[in-house]
Amino acid sequence: KAGVTQTPRYLIKTRGQQVTLSCSPISGHRSVSWYQQTPGQGLQFLFEYFSETQRNKGNFPGRFSGRQFSNSRSEMNVSTLELGDSALYLCASTIGRGNTEAFFGQGTRLTVV
Amino acid sequence: QKEVEQNSGPLSVPEGAIASLNCTYSDRGSQSFFWYRQYSGKSPELIMSIYSNGDKEDGRFTAQLNKASQYVSLLIRDSQPSDSATYLCAGYTGGFKTIFGAGTRLFVKA
């Protein structure tokens, strides 16, 4: 059974650019959550999607957005990148039917220069 | 105020000893709790889930939950050097959101 797949694994972007990250959940999982992980802040919740609907959002600026497609794949977008956006971005999937065990992808390491 | 608190460590234990990792949470409505292990440069891996008061054992791991004290712990028996990692405590608060602690670094000395 395939796990959670995130692409790309590594990205280097310049300040002011935008970036799109992709996440394919475990087959049958309908809920996808995104997290930002930095050494100083730990794992910070970005947003959660289920059946193409955002059900919750963390305390991040509007430059951070996401969406989910009908096949449960999800993307997150960060516009007007800042140096402080450099982080490991993690996607986690859950079945979404009351089962809250989350399984993480390998993450996308974003470096903003 | 952080919603899930962990001692950042590092916690150092000799090989074969019991490692005890602790976590407190502030939201009394939290329903489910999880322990993740994260090796350096890797993503978090779910190792234990616990939903009701008491102990839950899985191999060398025992999770303990005390909702009255808002306290969650993870015991690792017969610690091995391969257990050296950062352990993340997480709580599902409802509202489709799981909150993570900052993690405790564990070192198991051979």
Side-chain angles (χ1 to χ4, degrees):
Chain A
K1 186 176 182 180
V4 180
T5 303
Q6 290 188 246
T7 57
R9 293 292 309 279
Y10 303 94
L11 268 177
I12 299 176
K13 291 286 188 179
T14 304
R15 274 183 301 173
Q17 287 187 311
Q18 74 164 15
V19 67
T20 299
L21 312 180
S22 179
C23 171
S24 293
I26 293 170
S27 177
H29 284 199
R30 296 173 63 192
S31 168
V32 172
S33 297
W34 288 90
Y35 292 85
Q36 180 195 67
Q37 187 174 37
T38 59
Q41 298 295 317
L43 267 165
Q44 300 293 309
F45 174 79
L46 281 156
F47 23 65
E48 189 266 0
Y49 287 90
F50 179 83
S51 291
E52 303 177 67
T53 299
Q54 184 184 91
R55 299 192 296 185
N56 204 341
K57 187 177 191 302
N59 297 322
F60 279 83
R63 300 185 297 107
F64 292 81
S65 62
R67 58 178 175 169
Q68 187 182 34
F69 302 95
S70 59
N71 63 357
S72 295
R73 189 178 72 86
S74 177
E75 289 181 346
M76 67 163 282
N77 183 277
V78 188
S79 62
T80 319
L81 284 165
E82 301 177 359
L83 296 178
D85 296 332
S86 296
L88 178 66
Y89 289 88
L90 290 160
C91 162
S93 78
T94 66
I95 289 177
R97 290 188 292 272
N99 184 324
T100 53
E101 289 187 343
F103 299 90
F104 283 89
Q106 319 95 304
T108 295
R109 173 75 61 184
L110 172 65
T111 302
V112 182
V113 298
Chain B
Q1 180 186 1
K2 283 189 179 291
E3 296 178 35
V4 177
E5 297 260 16
Q6 293 181 258
N7 187 322
S8 63
L11 173 66
S12 184
V13 301
E15 183 176 359
I18 295 175
S20 178
L21 304 162
N22 305 310
C23 167
T24 58
Y25 60 95
S26 59
D27 186 348
R28 284 195 173 274
S30 297
Q31 304 162 13
S32 315
F33 300 88
F34 310 95
W35 284 98
Y36 287 82
R37 177 176 61 200
Q38 187 173 25
Y39 293 113
S40 180
K42 302 293 186 182
S43 62
E45 172 193 11
L46 178 66
I47 54 172
M48 290 287 286
S49 309
I50 187 164
Y51 304 99
S52 54
N53 280 328
D55 296 357
K56 179 182 177 183
E57 187 174 317
D58 184 0
R60 295 186 298 113
F61 298 98
T62 298
Q64 299 173 318
L65 173 60
N66 184 325
K67 289 188 176 181
S69 301
Q70 296 177 243
Y71 179 89
V72 191
S73 66
L74 179 70
L75 300 177
I76 306 174
R77 289 181 299 281
D78 188 24
S79 295
Q80 301 297 309
S82 58
D83 294 326
S84 297
T86 296
Y87 288 80
L88 303 171
C89 173
Y92 179 72
T93 63
F96 316 111
K97 181 179 180 181
T98 297
I99 300 298
F100 285 79
T104 299
R105 287 179 296 154
L106 172 66
F107 291 108
V108 181
K109 299 174 294 185

